[in-house]
Amino acid sequence: MSLAEAVSTHVQDGCKIVLGAALENAVPFAATHELIRQGRRELNMIAPISDISTDMLIGAGCVTEVTGAWVGNVSGGMGHNFRRAAEKGLPHPIKINDYSNFTIGMAFFAGAYGLPYVPVKTILGSDIMKSNQSIKLTEDPYTGEPVALIPALKPDVAFLVVQRADKAGNSHIWGSTGLTQEASIAANKIIVLADEIVEPEVIASDPSRVLIPGFGVDAVCHVPAGCHPAPLIGKWQRDNAFFHHYHKETRVPDGFDRWCDEWVRDLADHDAYRAKLGGELEDLRILGDVPSAPANYATE
Amino acid sequence: MSLAEAVSTHVQDGCKIVLGAALENAVPFAATHELIRQGRRELNMIAPISDISTDMLIGAGCVTEVTGAWVGNVSGGMGHNFRRAAEKGLPHPIKINDYSNFTIGMAFFAGAYGLPYVPVKTILGSDIMKSNQSIKLTEDPYTGEPVALIPALKPDVAFLVVQRADKAGNSHIWGSTGLTQEASIAANKIIVLADEIVEPEVIASDPSRVLIPGFGVDAVCHVPAGCHPAPLIGKWQRDNAFFHHYHKETRVPDGFDRWCDEWVRDLADHDAYRAKLGGELEDLRILGDVPSAPANYATE
Amino acid sequence: MTHDYSTQELMIIAAARQIADGERIFVGMRLPITAYGVARLTHAPNAVGLFESGVARYEPADGMLYTMCDGPNQLGAAWTTGLIQIMGLLSGGRVHAGFIGGAEVDKFGNINTSYIGDIDDPKVKLPGSGGAPDIAAMAERLVIIINHQKHRLVEKVDFVTSPGFLDGGDARKKAGLPGGGPAVIITDRAILKPHGPEHEFHLASIHPGHTVDEVMANTGWDLKSIPDLGVTPEPTKVEMDALHHIDKDGFWRS
Amino acid sequence: MTHDYSTQELMIIAAARQIADGERIFVGMRLPITAYGVARLTHAPNAVGLFESGVARYEPADGMLYTMCDGPNQLGAAWTTGLIQIMGLLSGGRVHAGFIGGAEVDKFGNINTSYIGDIDDPKVKLPGSGGAPDIAAMAERLVIIINHQKHRLVEKVDFVTSPGFLDGGDARKKAGLPGGGPAVIITDRAILKPHGPEHEFHLASIHPGHTVDEVMANTGWDLKSIPDLGVTPEPTKVEMDALHHIDKDGFWRS
């Protein structure tokens, strides 16, 4: 399935969306672009940290709610669109549901595994308990000590970048995964952006490397470098210059619009994006081979 | 460190012990034997399911408390020592703290990750909520619906069988892991029984295969076939005949004593146990090679 | 009457028919895993089998399994992971059905695998629950497999390890249990299903060669029948061929 | 006075000294990760570095990192896993110290990285918390790194993203926070530490070349000094050699 088709089939205006949950790697920027191109509106973007992905969607007017722990530009600092929306309501106001990284982790965990809420201590004392009214301060009935309840969070759709998948969506991921597993299992639908599509035997050779099994996946899209400019372990280096360029260009709303036309709206799809990047993208491709030691699954 | 030394250093009478938490594979039977040899008493054995390991320790008089979801002989059905202890107080009475598999999972999860308790729905309606008085029936403050609270469970020592580890205890595990990660992180001390000790580079070649990092490990023991008669993926097949033999021999207390003398007390250590098994053990050794597809960790 | 199938084979086929295509099923060992294999080979080629230790499979394992953790159940699996990931699917309401057995089941489908007699001084201490309470609480429906004997199908179990409809009526709903509860009891003599607002298990069909009187005599409560009581449909040739393909050694034939 | 180290290098060395051998440390990027590297090469060869995305490392990564998720931070790591596994160590009380920065810190060590001004109509919307509140709540001690300016070291932060001693005294304990709270603020002018039962941050040492008046003029509260106020010890040759070994390009020299 093409990514455009996956987005048009599975994402409606008003959806709660996870665009990657690994923090700063494996961010599905290709899906970010497609949501902008298809003009989705009133999205609630949920993620601990998704680097400039959330900032782009805010600037393009797709977002009315942000649920997470951090929105900005890991290279540049502030996300200009996020600031403009929060400070001046431009392009329109956004509601911010604050979490810390661990508490949004627990919210996804609860959503994934059918717990109504999770009691934590890690958010005590923080004003996030005041700004996020879904978090309840209560007493541990065993000890009487203060504890904060984090209710389950269940996204509508989760987009995930994986290093390799088979056609059925059985997916191998390696390197740090942040909240990828919990966020995707919590989601009603999972859309996989596979950097590489491989034969089922490759995935089946290592079922312990599977983070997302195919039976939970709603669409599988073959999108090489769908993570650009974020890194993908063993596949693509981070495009640091691209992040700095975005930061510089988007200081003013007009600048963001120009950037967004050039890099998103004026391009038909991710193939066109890759073609426009050209040699810059090729320079980021990981050519080395540092393989993992094999695990043996023989039975006799 | 030898396993005998690890047990004598880290396990005291009265400890709460996890002997494997992967259910029916990777059960650290070599540690079971060592606890019996060293005559530890008043242990609280905690595990979802550890096949006949718990039954052996009960029969040897090491146990006064059993915390888990199932005690028996997966091949033979009932565990005779467990029945004698529960029904007749032989060799002495045991207290049973009942859980279901998912709720003991949540108890370990809470213990591992600093949550005071976890609210679940999966144990509602079960009389386990009456027999295990640590479980509290309460109301979800968000919905008013019934919910059961499972408090954190923190073992003193967890013994784990791993396929390979380096000298520092950085460990690779593959195949299904049950509650291995949660139970070990929840434990105050971790003792690794490595089927194979490898160079640090082998483990470091695949940090996503690490289930237990060395910085949490208190002792690393090289114990080939430390899982026997349980299976270990890619290393040892299950010794089904051994389970049936145990079931038959232990029907009466005298039978268990004879079995325990022959297979545990009269043997100096696990090397002697392996020597006694001889060709029977060699027949269970996995000689085939069905390797996982490599993951690439190159950075450029 | 001659049948070219055994009672256990009939039970396996009846169990296989409880699995619809594409469903996620908590399988368990022995009879249910064979039933899962038959379903995959016949009407449910896209079913997914789940195992509590942390295994999900499409194709059933090749060869005899003693435990769900054995090597053949892991080789070529869809997913080998932890217990929380797999049982969490259940807790999260994403599992269609589960198979469980037990020492006792009562007329409301409550199952005991814990204590026979008094809990503080049990006559028999059974091995315990494993993941059965979680499956019973959360799966959309539960399939119970048990031998049909008076001391096994009882008026009221001594200990509810895995909840059915509890005291009947809306007791299960009131207790806050999200899953649908037991949908069927498959025995070696008959098939029972819950009937009416009380959800009491009724005789739904009798296996060929058995009689209502015999079934009632071997049931520990006053067993009623559903209005359209029939005979359990015999296995088809396609089903038996699938079963024989899996059970090459004829383990289930006798 | 001439020093053959930059202010930032002095801050890095001061930060490195906050790490004891064998400790588990939430590192973060930039200055703290360099400090971690210096500590590993000098007095803390067995320290373990933790990164929220799901990385634990012994040796720091080889080469410049832009984010904790970059390839070099994962290659040869001790553990690449999920956020819950790594931050769970924190929640479980198994982390000794964490480094964090912020836009504002107040006299009780409370940190703001969320909102400047009114939360419903903020003057500046900062990027947010990341994992800082969790670290501040749970680590045995917190090391705060911030530039010493009057609008950054304030009487009271507009929004407590990451709790220090809250309103001072036993307020932190009363709020139920298990971790020990902020142990030190390292700035480009001085080192501040909490002092007395109120846990108000006091001037603990002044970096060489700076004065008490200058530090006070650049602090947003009436900064008091500890009784034995001294000068921040200069980096040793061993420490500087370690730093230069890591910072081959001289990024921190100017």
Side-chain angles (χ1 to χ4, degrees), chain B residues 15-73:
Chain B
C15 272
K16 290 176 280 182
I17 307 283
V18 170
L19 276 171
L23 282 63
E24 292 127 357
N25 58 339
V27 182
F29 277 102
T32 309
H33 304 159
E34 197 52 44
L35 288 166
I36 294 173
R37 267 185 221 113
Q38 296 196 19
R40 285 295 174 281
R41 287 293 177 270
E42 301 186 7
L43 301 178
N44 179 350
M45 302 309 304
I46 314 182
I49 291 175
S50 275
D51 220 317
I52 57 175
S53 164
T54 313
D55 193 72
M56 289 178 189
L57 286 156
I58 293 171
C62 305
V63 180
T64 49
E65 216 165 324
V66 169
T67 300
W70 197 94
V71 178
N73 180 322

Side-chain angles (χ1 to χ4, degrees), chain B residues 189-211:
Chain B
K189 292 184 174 183
I190 300 176
I191 298 173
V192 165
L193 283 72
D195 205 75
E196 189 185 355
I197 298 280
V198 297
E199 292 302 313
E201 292 72 23
V202 174
I203 306 299
S205 78
D206 196 357
S208 287
R209 179 89 66 201
V210 170
L211 204 73

